[in-house]
Amino acid sequence: MLQKCLFPVAGYGTRFLPATKAMPKEMLPILTKPLIQYGVEEALDAGMKQVAFVTGRGKRAIEDHFDITYELEEQISGTPKEASLEGIHRLIDRCAFSYTRQIQMKGLGHAILTGEILVGNQPFGVILADDLCVGESASVMAQMARVYEQHRCSIVAIEEVPRQTVDQYGVIMGEPIAEDLYRVSDMVEKPSPESAPSNLAIIGRYILTPDIFDILRQTPPGKGGEIQITDALKIQAQQGGVLAYRFHGQRFDCGNVDGFVAATNFFYEAYLRDR
Ligand code: G1P
């Protein structure tokens, strides 16, 4: 059973300036709930109760969010407003949180390697909170955990994207081995549409086996001069095996304004239906 989920949250969120000047991008809300809370709910839904954050400077609000806020809670205690904190209390009660800082921004691969101290020698999930995922019936990470239980190797979540947008993603080349499942033979970080091996893009959900840490230690900087998880996974795919899973559900790229607004509209419609 997978127990840990790593959240790399050190990034700056420059596409949301000035909103993210003094506030972590992961705290931007979709309706009333910050992105990071959706991510932690997804981890818990997949049974991952140990939540590990790789944070950076200016990210203190994330730690405070997953803690009680004594004065405020005292103030609203016994009023109807108390109900609005039920969701976050549920997470605080059920999960254990740990934090470490990434001192320098050297890429997603480097962030994940920084999390080794929190993860240790066991398989773990990775959630990039600005990819907000809504699973069909089960959450996307829960779907992936099911695939992991069967295959016991690293798994990336993929989605078909329009060819002209592949340069925003890690892209896989793979051979189908079952419905919605590919054995990865190659992967490239942010290829040009002309050179991309497919239009199957990796989204911000991974399950990684711990040998990835040794591979990451050996991985030189790649695209953009950063240590890329995609490059390390390519080595892992060649050494043992990496699967790509086409998830059932919807993903919103909340790292840009269009995706953020689409997610807001999606959740607002659900909110109006349930009201
Ligand atoms: C990262 C990864 C990329 C992946 C993407 C998913 O890129 O490097 O391979 O496709 O997340 O969101 P970023 O969006 O951080 O540039």
Side-chain angles (χ1 to χ4, degrees):
M1 180 78 179
L2 294 154
Q3 294 172 320
K4 296 210 177 179
C5 193
L6 190 69
F7 289 80
V9 294
Y12 296 127
T14 48
R15 272 174 290 183
F16 274 92
L17 285 170
T20 50
K21 184 169 176 288
M23 182 183 80
K25 61 174 174 163
E26 296 80 9
M27 290 302 294
L28 289 169
I30 300 294
L31 306 194
T32 56
K33 196 156 72 179
L35 283 170
I36 191 69
Q37 189 175 333
Y38 288 91
V40 174
E41 284 172 354
E42 186 180 334
L44 180 60
D45 185 66
M48 300 168 178
K49 294 184 176 171
Q50 295 180 39
V51 175
F53 293 97
V54 176
T55 69
R57 287 180 291 282
K59 299 284 183 165
R60 277 264 313 273
I62 295 175
E63 292 177 53
D64 292 340
H65 189 68
F66 294 100
D67 196 350
I68 56 167
T69 310
Y70 189 77
E71 280 181 22
L72 167 75
E73 293 180 30
E74 188 70 11
Q75 183 91 38
I76 64 174
S77 161
T79 77
K81 287 185 183 150
E82 224 176 1
S84 46
L85 293 180
E86 273 167 13
I88 184 70
H89 278 159
R90 186 171 163 269
L91 297 181
I92 294 170
D93 290 346
R94 292 176 199 201
C95 301
F97 300 92
S98 60
Y99 302 85
T100 192
R101 275 199 187 197
Q102 189 184 11
I103 307 294
Q104 284 178 300
M105 301 301 126
K106 295 197 212 160
L108 179 58
H110 179 258
I112 292 173
L113 182 56
T114 304
E116 181 182 20
I117 186 90
L118 304 176
V119 169
N121 188 30
Q122 57 177 298
F124 60 104
V126 176
I127 291 182
L128 308 184
D130 47 16
D131 269 343
L132 178 49
C133 291
V134 183
E136 267 166 37
S137 68
S139 72
V140 173
M141 190 50 91
Q143 293 171 34
M144 293 173 73
R146 228 177 284 146
V147 178
Y148 176 81
E149 293 306 329
Q150 257 189 317
H151 296 273
R152 307 261 159 187
C153 65
S154 288
I155 298 159
V156 296
I158 51 164
E159 172 176 79
E160 246 175 272
V161 297
R163 259 234 173 223
Q164 67 274 19
T165 65
V166 289
D167 58 358
Q168 299 167 24
Y169 303 96
V171 176
I172 68 140
M173 178 151 94
E175 173 207 340
I177 57 164
E179 210 184 323
D180 300 317
L181 204 58
Y182 297 77
R183 182 165 300 286
V184 175
S185 53
D186 195 8
M187 43 173 93
V188 194
E189 179 66 9
K190 304 197 171 92
S192 66
E194 304 76 53
S195 66
S198 74
N199 67 337
L200 297 173
I202 302 170
I203 62 128
R205 299 290 180 280
Y206 307 78
I207 288 174
L208 301 174
T209 54
D211 53 310
I212 199 73
F213 294 126
D214 277 338
I215 301 173
L216 277 168
R217 260 185 281 282
Q218 308 289 323
T219 302
K223 191 89 185 180
E226 297 187 328
I227 297 172
Q228 299 293 350
I229 188 64
T230 307
D231 295 340
L233 278 164
K234 178 181 166 162
I235 305 287
Q236 206 180 35
Q238 288 159 357
Q239 284 178 357
V242 172
L243 297 179
Y245 169 66
R246 196 203 305 247
F247 67 94
H248 293 230
Q250 239 179 305
R251 172 194 68 113
F252 298 97
D253 178 2
C254 296
N256 71 58
V257 171
D258 294 340
F260 189 87
V261 172
T264 301
N265 289 336
F266 177 89
F267 280 91
Y268 186 57
E269 274 163 31
Y271 164 84
L272 290 179
R273 273 197 306 273
D274 297 347
R275 190 155 65 168

